[in-house]
C-alpha cells in the first residue's frame, strides 16, 4: 500500500471516530506503555543534542575580570583557575559544563549549590582552595516560598537526607515557565513524544 493510500485509510478511520491508530501514541506518552525513563542514556537524539550545546561552551577559554566598575580589567588568579579545573565535587570543568547544559535543556533549569565556605568574606586572603560546588539534580530541589517570597531551597542528597539552603547558597538559572514562577520549563517536555517514538523504534 503506498503512502497516499495509507493516509486515506487513516483519515477514513479517524472520520468514523475510531481511536485505535492512536493507542500506540498514548502508550508512548506514558499511559501504561513503555516509556523513555533516562533520556540521555536511552535516546541518541537527546544525548547528541546536549553534546552539541555543551561542547562549544566547555571548549571556550575561561577569562576572569575584576569588578566592572573598575574597567573590566582581566585578572590572573591561579587559585580561581585551579577551582574551575574541577568546580564541582567529582566533576571536571568539561563534565560540569555538560551537566549544566544537560539540566538546562532537559528541565529548563540548573542548580549550583555553594558550600558554607563560599560565603566567607575576603576569600583572597584565605590560603585554602575554594570549596567545590554541587551540581544538583533539579528533581532533588524544592523551593520554599512563604507569602510569595522565596525563603530558600530544600535539597535532598543522594542518601535521601534533606538540607535547607538559603537563597545565597544556590545559583539557580532557569528558562521562563508560565506555570511556575519559581522553576524552569525544559525543552524536552515538548519533544518527549518524538524522543520516545525514536527510542521505541
Amino acid at each position: 500500500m503506498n503512502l497516499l493510500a495509507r493516509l486515506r485509510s487513516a483519515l477514513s478511520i479517524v472520520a468514523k471516530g475510531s481511536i485505535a491508530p492512536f493507542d500506540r501514541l498514548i502508550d508512548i506518552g506514558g499511559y501504561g506503555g513503555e516509556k523513555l525513563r533516562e533520556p540521555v542514556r536511552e535516546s541518541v537524539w537527546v544525548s547528541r543534542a546536549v553534546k552539541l550545546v555543551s561542547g562549544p561552551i566547555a571548549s571556550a577559554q575561561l577569562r576572569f575580570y575584576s569588578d566592572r566598575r573598575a574597567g573590566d580589567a582581566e585578572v590572573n588568579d591561579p587559585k580561581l583557575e585551579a577551582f574551575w579545573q574541577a568546580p564541582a565535587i567529582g566533576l571536571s570543568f568539561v563534565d560540569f559544563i555538560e551537566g549544566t547544559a544537560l539540566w538546562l535543556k532537559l528541565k529548563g533549569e540548573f542548580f549550583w549549590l555553594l558550600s558554607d565556605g563560599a560565603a566567607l568574606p575576603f576569600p583572597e586572603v584565605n590560603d585554602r582552595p575554594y570549596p567545590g560546588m554541587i551540581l544538583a539534580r533539579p528533581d532533588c530541589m524544592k523551593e520554599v516560598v512563604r507569602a510569595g517570597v522565596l525563603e530558600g531551597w530544600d535539597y535532598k542528597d543522594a542518601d535521601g537526607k534533606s538540607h535547607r539552603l538559603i537563597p545565597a547558597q544556590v545559583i539557580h538559572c532557569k528558562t521562563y515557565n508560565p506555570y511556575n514562577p519559581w522553576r524552569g520549563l525544559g525543552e524536552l517536555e515538548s519533544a518527549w513524544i518524538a524522543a520516545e517514538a525514536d527510542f521505541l523504534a
Side-chain angles (χ1 to χ4, degrees), residues 137-159:
R137 291 176 55 112
D139 57 359
C140 292
M141 302 296 296
K142 175 67 178 164
E143 65 274 16
V144 179
V145 179
R146 291 209 177 115
V149 176
L150 180 68
E151 290 193 347
W153 295 90
D154 277 333
Y155 165 61
K156 187 174 286 187
D157 65 21
D159 295 328

Side-chain angles (χ1 to χ4, degrees), residues 24-156:
R24 187 59 177 158
L25 289 179
I26 290 172
D27 281 348
I28 291 172
Y31 295 91
E34 279 190 79
K35 188 167 175 60
L36 180 65
R37 300 189 188 282
E38 297 178 338
V40 178
R41 179 182 302 179
E42 297 170 345
S43 171
V44 68
W45 288 9
V46 175
S47 178
R48 293 313 304 159
V50 169
K51 293 276 190 188
L52 187 65
V53 170
S54 65
I57 302 170
S59 64
Q61 183 178 3
L62 280 179
R63 296 182 184 274
F64 308 102
Y65 295 89
S66 61
D67 192 330
R68 292 185 179 179
R69 292 170 291 184
D72 271 348
E74 189 171 350
V75 175
N76 292 318
D77 184 345
K79 187 175 166 183
L80 197 55
E81 291 174 9
F83 166 79
W84 280 105
Q85 293 299 312
I89 298 169
L91 296 177
S92 69
F93 173 73
V94 172
D95 292 336
F96 178 73
I97 294 299
E98 184 174 318
T100 298
L102 182 147
W103 289 126
L104 188 60
K105 300 306 273 181
L106 291 185
K107 297 295 186 181
E109 60 187 348
F110 65 78
F111 291 89
W112 296 351
L113 309 186
L114 307 177
S115 71
D116 294 336
L120 293 175
F122 311 113
E124 64 276 3
V125 299
N126 187 341
D127 290 336
R128 289 178 297 178
Y130 294 126
M133 296 183 283
I134 294 174
L135 177 60
R137 291 176 55 112
D139 57 359
C140 292
M141 302 296 296
K142 175 67 178 164
E143 65 274 16
V144 179
V145 179
R146 291 209 177 115
V149 176
L150 180 68
E151 290 193 347
W153 295 90
D154 277 333
Y155 165 61
K156 187 174 286 187

